[in-house]
Amino acid sequence: MTFGSQGNGTEEQGLSGVPEESVGILLQRGGEELRLRKVRDRATIRLKVVDGDFPAEIPFLSYKSIPQTELIEIKVGAENLETAIAIARRLDSVAFASHVYRMVKNPGTFVYLTDEITLQFTADLDPDERDALLEPFALQRLRPITGIDNAFIYQLTPQSRENPLKIANRLAGTLNILTAEANIIIRQEALYRPKDELYNQQWYLHHNGGRQLAPASHIDAEKAWDITRGVRSVVVAVADDAIDLNHPDFQGEGKIVAPKDFKGEDFLPLPEYPQESHGTACAGVAVAEETGTGVVGVAPGCALMPLRTSGFLDDRSIEALFEWAANKGASVISCSWGAASLNFPLSLRQRAAINRAATKGRDGKGCVVVFAAGNANRPVNGTIYERKWQRNILKGPTKWLSGFAAHPDAIAVSACTSLNQKSAYSNWGKQISVSAPSNNAPPGMWFQETGFVHTAPPISGSLPGLGIFTADRLGRLGYAPGNFTRDFGGTSSACPVVAGVAALVLSVNPDLTAQEVKQILQKSTDKIVDRNLDPQLGMQMGTYDQNGHSQWFGYGKVNAFKAVGLAQKQQQTSQKVSKYIEKSNERSVAIPDNDSRGAISRIEVRESGILKDIQVMVSLEHDFLGDLEVYLKTPTNRTILLQGRTLGARTQVQMTYTPATAPILKQILNLSARGTWTLWAVDRAVSDTGKIQRWALRLGV
């Protein structure tokens, strides 16, 4: 496949707002433009014949395959880079050739291009117009993206005259194109496991005090276990580097469900390399079986779906991972990983894959998706003025974004210590849902070229707190000799704690939706408070705002007993639902400033049935959400206040209102579901404006 540096016939169309000098160095992703620069000594090719001979005509110093990608990375002398790529593009044996890139302000992480582009069109563009718009780029349509209207995956052809980065940029600003993204491949972060120093050592489950143990710094698991220890029908998928299925704590009838190795492309996700101990430890925290010896997981009676990830975060890998988990019956998906990148917005395909799992899995109730917030002591989404990094690899205002943890359908988990304080490494921000116990240690992050580095400035002084005792890879190849480790930690261990609590919740009430589980976890937390200054950045965010949210702890530290009790109570008050009717309105509506007429958005329900359950999902954007009141009007003209003026200075919110979280909705149960439902948002103060982004109904009849 040949890609020339000029796209004859494309530039003159003026398709994009991207300046010509930038079309080859901007990555469109998640609504952002990320600036790239070429790596001067590397390129990639994909052969037409998989495992074919490497072309001898290409000058190289070395080459290696990039697993699971069909790409070969070539290292060349900087003076030979353009020559090597030009030769590769002329060869009949080469299907694809590209530069390798780095993200600007991102040390040591390579970005590899594929030959795929994601495009989403406006609804009013018919297929013929769409084909005419794309004709100059010679793209071949592969398939639509499930769950996203008017969105498709395209592949470059031998007639495509430019690389996918340039084509995406030329299309990004085009009328009738909402999204244009080149699919990239980036390394999954080999998550840092901060170090610190059998059941009675698992303080995070339950303890009665002791050295470095604050009162109630555990999750109250023992009282939760009096209600349930988990059931086999609830399956926790642990997606990680590998899991030692031979460990005694993963034995038991029905314990292992639908294992998959996405790296080895088989069904045995076992460790192969010395560094692959992370997944075993995470699985032990979540679901280690109660055997009378060893350790016990938060939800020991639940099943385990062990998934060995590919190690890369391209669109196809994420789609395959979440589709497998959802299709094979996962109830909870635990993900103690992120991208080896400072600023990683999710692509449209990745956002859609997680959304499908979180809304369509479990027969439409949704898989509970849990992500670790990260261990760099940085915002999940925000900007930090960086200083004092080794070799100045970062300096000045730097954007940080953990796209997976920030996904609105995910439960983002931060870490707290055995002293009920923030773990020094834990990422933080408005996106944090809950916190869970872990260890304490200096913050750091892994990059592809540098390996693990501590974030800056350095922390002086001690960081008290106990480590997490859990299962380890058998023998001497794990974190410690033997079958267990006492110093696991990071948000890596906090994440499966929350996944285990979610599994206990579903064990007592399997009818809950994923959003209801998230709300139960947030509503049943312990409001731990840390008034200390952060030892690295000097900030203090360990208290709670008027909405009960802390940037360090989310809505608080998870409490298994309270969560299970709340789920049990909700089950007792719910009515039996025979089916759910799902409708949405995706059209954005502006909310007029200080106008009692407000903004109106309607959903028409044509199906009949008596309302037994209702869920109202609302997404709002406003300069000051505390100005808003949000109402639901029923087909019988009954008006329900869903949200008073209590959202404060927040600017974006995605809320799901149910009879459990908004008891006023119980007043409209047993009415007819058929008719026009109306969402009414009213701005009650001057100067700030916003909009209803979208809203949806899930009506149980």
Side-chain angles (χ1 to χ4, degrees):
M1 180 178 294
T2 12
F3 302 125
S5 60
Q6 300 296 323
N8 296 334
T10 57
E11 295 173 31
E12 62 193 30
Q13 296 177 46
L15 290 177
S16 172
V18 177
E20 183 59 32
E21 64 270 17
S22 299
V23 292
I25 56 171
L26 286 182
L27 174 66
Q28 304 289 336
R29 189 170 183 87
E32 295 191 33
E33 290 184 346
L34 305 182
R35 187 164 292 273
L36 306 176
R37 64 170 175 261
K38 293 177 181 177
V39 178
R40 301 310 305 172
D41 64 349
R42 292 169 200 262
T44 55
I45 65 169
R46 179 167 61 81
L47 300 176
K48 289 181 179 177
V49 178
V50 178
D51 297 327
D53 292 334
F54 184 85
E57 299 91 332
I58 301 175
F60 67 91
L61 299 176
S62 63
Y63 68 88
K64 63 180 179 180
S65 296
I66 303 175
Q68 282 76 47
T69 68
E70 298 182 1
L71 291 179
I72 298 172
E73 181 182 12
I74 309 166
K75 191 167 185 179
V76 300
E79 70 281 3
N80 291 327
L81 176 65
E82 298 303 332
T83 300
I85 292 176
I87 291 173
R89 288 172 174 170
R90 290 197 299 266
L91 294 175
D92 291 337
S93 60
V94 174
F96 179 81
S98 172
H99 290 87
V100 175
Y101 299 85
R102 279 195 184 98
M103 293 184 189
V104 173
K105 287 194 173 183
N106 195 343
T109 297
F110 294 145
V111 175
Y112 304 106
L113 290 185
T114 74
D115 57 357
E116 290 183 348
I117 293 179
T118 299
L119 296 175
Q120 184 182 20
F121 304 90
T122 57
D124 57 353
L125 193 68
D126 65 43
D128 290 340
E129 293 173 318
R130 189 169 62 217
D131 293 343
L133 177 61
L134 299 183
E135 184 178 1
F137 303 98
L139 301 177
Q140 175 186 357
R141 197 178 100 175
L142 295 182
R143 62 177 175 85
I145 300 176
T146 305
I148 304 293
D149 292 338
N150 308 306
F152 305 90
I153 302 167
Y154 287 85
Q155 186 176 44
L156 278 67
T157 67
Q159 290 72 45
S160 300
R161 291 191 287 262
E162 292 190 303
N163 72 28
L165 206 60
K166 291 183 177 181
I167 293 175
N169 278 317
R170 297 200 188 284
L171 292 172
T174 307
L175 188 67
N176 298 124
I177 290 185
L178 302 175
T179 301
E181 296 177 335
N183 179 20
I184 62 167
I185 296 170
I186 191 169
R187 285 274 185 180
Q188 180 177 311
E189 182 185 0
L191 274 167
Y192 164 54
R193 181 184 60 88
K195 289 188 175 182
D196 194 47
E197 65 142 350
L198 290 148
Y199 174 62
N200 61 357
Q201 298 185 58
Q202 293 182 269
W203 61 268
Y204 55 96
L205 297 174
H206 182 84
H207 68 76
N208 294 312
R211 184 182 66 87
Q212 295 196 70
L213 289 171
S217 59
H218 55 79
I219 65 167
D220 218 0
E222 287 189 355
K223 286 195 284 186
W225 291 340
D226 287 340
I227 302 171
T228 181
R229 296 196 176 192
V231 296
R232 283 291 198 261
S233 58
V234 174
V235 179
V236 179
V238 175
D240 218 288
D241 56 6
I243 297 174
D244 191 344
L245 301 184
N246 296 311
H247 198 288
D249 279 325
F250 302 140
Q251 307 306 310
E253 185 177 355
K255 186 69 174 180
I256 303 299
V257 174
K260 176 67 174 177
D261 183 348
F262 291 95
K263 180 175 285 186
E265 298 181 347
D266 57 31
F267 303 102
L268 283 175
L270 298 171
E272 295 181 27
Y273 307 106
Q275 299 83 9
E276 291 186 307
S277 301
H278 193 268
T280 302
C282 289
V285 170
V287 294
E289 189 81 349
E290 185 181 8
T291 62
T293 60
V295 297
V296 62
V298 176
C302 292
L304 168 65
M305 182 185 292
L307 304 177
R308 187 184 187 212
T309 62
S310 70
F312 292 91
L313 300 178
D314 57 292
D315 293 352
R316 286 189 176 186
S317 295
I318 295 302
E319 287 172 338
L321 176 67
F322 283 92
E323 284 170 8
W324 177 276
N327 292 341
K328 297 298 182 181
S331 308
V332 182
I333 306 174
S334 181
C335 305
S336 291
W337 43 265
S341 173
L342 309 183
N343 183 11
F344 191 75
L346 300 191
S347 69
L348 180 68
R349 288 170 65 180
Q350 291 173 340
R351 295 198 307 272
I354 295 172
N355 175 259
R356 284 196 298 274
T359 57
K360 306 301 181 185
R362 284 198 311 127
D363 298 321
K365 294 187 288 291
C367 304
V368 179
V369 179
V370 188
F371 268 100
N375 304 321
N377 190 29
R378 292 301 186 267
V380 172
N381 186 3
T383 299
I384 291 290
Y385 190 90
E386 297 294 353
R387 58 191 178 88
K388 297 185 179 180
W389 282 69
Q390 55 182 273
R391 304 193 307 276
N392 278 330
I393 55 177
L394 290 179
K395 59 182 178 180
T398 303
K399 174 70 181 293
W400 291 78
L401 172 59
S402 304
F404 291 103
H407 193 289
D409 292 318
I411 297 173
V413 182
S414 65
C416 53
T417 71
S418 61
L419 298 172
N420 268 344
Q421 296 173 343
K422 176 187 178 290
S423 299
Y425 53 76
S426 183
N427 284 1
W428 41 268
K430 297 178 181 179
Q431 296 77 18
I432 300 297
S433 295
V434 292
S435 183
S438 190
N439 70 333
N440 203 5
M445 190 169 178
W446 184 92
F447 297 106
Q448 183 175 349
E449 273 194 306
T450 64
F452 173 77
V453 294
H454 289 294
T455 58
I459 295 176
S460 60
S462 63
L463 296 173
L466 302 180
I468 298 297
F469 196 97
T470 183
D472 194 10
R473 186 174 173 181
L474 297 177
R476 303 189 62 83
L477 291 178
Y479 290 129
N483 302 340
F484 304 95
T485 178
R486 68 179 66 253
D487 60 1
F488 194 55
T491 57
S492 287
S493 59
C495 175
V497 167
V498 174
V501 176
L504 293 179
V505 165
L506 288 173
S507 294
V508 296
N509 191 347
D511 295 325
L512 292 167
T513 66
Q515 279 296 315
E516 288 174 328
V517 173
K518 182 177 182 178
Q519 290 170 358
I520 284 173
L521 293 178
Q522 293 176 168
K523 193 173 181 180
S524 58
T525 55
D526 296 329
K527 297 286 189 184
I528 61 173
V529 172
D530 183 357
R531 300 186 186 278
N532 295 314
L533 294 178
D534 178 273
Q536 183 183 53
L537 301 177
M539 58 186 62
Q540 196 287 316
M541 296 186 292
T543 56
Y544 298 82
D545 62 21
Q546 61 184 356
N547 299 310
H549 185 270
S550 160
Q551 291 204 43
W552 281 359
F553 305 122
Y555 290 93
K557 176 177 64 67
V558 287
N559 184 302
F561 173 60
K562 292 179 183 177
V564 168
L566 188 57
Q568 197 175 40
K569 180 180 179 181
Q570 187 163 327
Q571 183 188 46
Q572 294 166 354
T573 59
S574 64
Q575 302 184 59
K576 187 170 180 60
V577 173
S578 59
K579 69 172 183 177
Y580 278 94
I581 302 166
E582 296 185 359
K583 303 286 183 181
S584 66
N585 189 327
E586 306 288 336
R587 186 178 296 276
S588 175
V589 181
I591 304 171
D593 183 35
N594 193 27
D595 189 333
S596 60
R597 291 174 298 179
I600 298 294
S601 182
R602 295 183 175 88
I603 290 177
E604 187 71 26
V605 176
R606 294 185 172 86
E607 295 89 338
S608 299
I610 300 302
L611 198 62
K612 298 176 181 176
D613 185 30
I614 180 170
Q615 298 161 36
V616 187
M617 288 76 79
V618 179
S619 178
L620 299 171
E621 181 182 90
H622 197 273
D623 296 332
F624 189 85
L625 281 166
D627 290 350
L628 295 187
E629 294 173 348
V630 182
Y631 299 88
L632 177 70
K633 289 188 176 182
T634 72
T636 57
N637 287 323
R638 191 159 184 176
T639 300
I640 302 291
L641 177 63
L642 293 177
Q643 182 68 59
R645 295 176 59 184
T646 60
L647 294 175
R650 299 165 70 180
T651 59
Q652 286 193 330
V653 69
Q654 292 183 328
M655 297 282 286
T656 299
Y657 303 93
T658 70
T661 60
I664 193 171
L665 287 172
K666 294 178 182 178
Q667 298 178 11
I668 61 174
L669 298 181
N670 297 314
L671 299 178
S672 174
R674 184 184 178 94
T676 301
W677 295 79
T678 303
L679 189 74
W680 178 34
V682 183
D683 187 324
R684 299 293 189 187
V686 295
S687 79
D688 295 308
T689 59
K691 60 186 176 181
I692 301 172
Q693 293 176 303
R694 66 180 299 272
W695 73 292
L697 285 173
R698 193 167 189 264
L699 307 178
V701 295

